[in-house]
Amino acid sequence: MALALQSAQPVPAGEEPVAPYAHANANAGATPFEGQAMWRAFGGEPGVRAIVDDLVARNVADPRIADIFKSRDLVRLRRTLYEQFCYLLNGGCDYSGQTMATAHKDMGIQQADTAALVENLQAAMRHARVPFPAQNRLLAKLAPMHRDVVAK
């Protein structure tokens, strides 16, 4: 995907504007899986959308991390999380979000916060009946991103 500045594109419905940045699949933080097995294991588009919606709902309701999500653009979060998961699972999507470091800058996220989020993602994947080996493969791909998310 060619780099495109966000300012050249309209703000999606329901989202708050953000400062311009270069769009690139590299911003997703990892490379996609090969083949379609992972995309199918996660239920394709409806499965991934359900997991993202469930994950966001769990995080907003989780007293350990709910404050992180207050005053955040949850519409944009759901869209970019879907794009990220779809891209990584090789579902044919491009990722239009910011880098992990930029998206989480100045949020003060700690190791315990990422642990809570991972627990919520695991619960959302279990609820969607994603096979355990597929869950572990996605978590292994996401794990190195904590370096760019946790406050230093």
Side-chain angles (χ1 to χ4, degrees):
M1 177 175 155
L3 293 180
L5 285 183
Q6 200 278 334
S7 62
Q9 299 175 3
V11 176
E15 293 184 21
E16 300 168 12
V18 296
Y21 63 92
H23 287 200
N25 283 331
N27 292 354
T31 58
F33 290 100
E34 292 186 19
Q36 295 293 296
M38 287 293 285
W39 182 243
R40 285 192 301 271
F42 277 76
E45 180 181 350
V48 174
R49 287 199 186 279
I51 290 166
V52 166
D53 288 344
D54 189 2
L55 173 61
V56 171
R58 288 174 190 271
N59 290 337
V60 168
D62 187 332
R64 298 173 296 174
I65 58 175
D67 285 346
I68 293 170
F69 295 91
K70 286 184 180 168
S71 303
R72 299 288 173 198
D73 185 347
L74 298 181
V75 173
R76 178 179 174 77
L77 175 63
R78 282 185 189 91
R79 180 180 61 79
T80 56
L81 266 178
Y82 172 78
E83 288 176 0
Q84 183 184 38
F85 287 2
C86 178
Y87 172 73
L88 295 176
L89 295 168
N90 202 10
C93 300
D94 286 318
Y95 177 68
S96 68
Q98 299 171 323
T99 66
M100 296 300 101
T102 301
H104 299 90
K105 185 179 184 222
D106 299 326
M107 292 177 71
I109 295 174
Q110 301 299 306
Q111 196 70 35
D113 302 325
T114 61
L117 186 138
V118 168
E119 288 175 20
N120 291 336
L121 176 55
Q122 289 172 308
M125 292 187 295
R126 274 194 311 273
H127 185 256
R129 301 189 192 287
V130 174
F132 191 68
Q135 291 181 37
N136 282 341
R137 288 187 69 202
L138 179 62
L139 291 171
K141 191 168 281 282
L142 298 174
M145 295 179 199
H146 85 276
R147 291 186 298 258
D148 293 327
V149 172
V150 174
K152 292 165 176 70

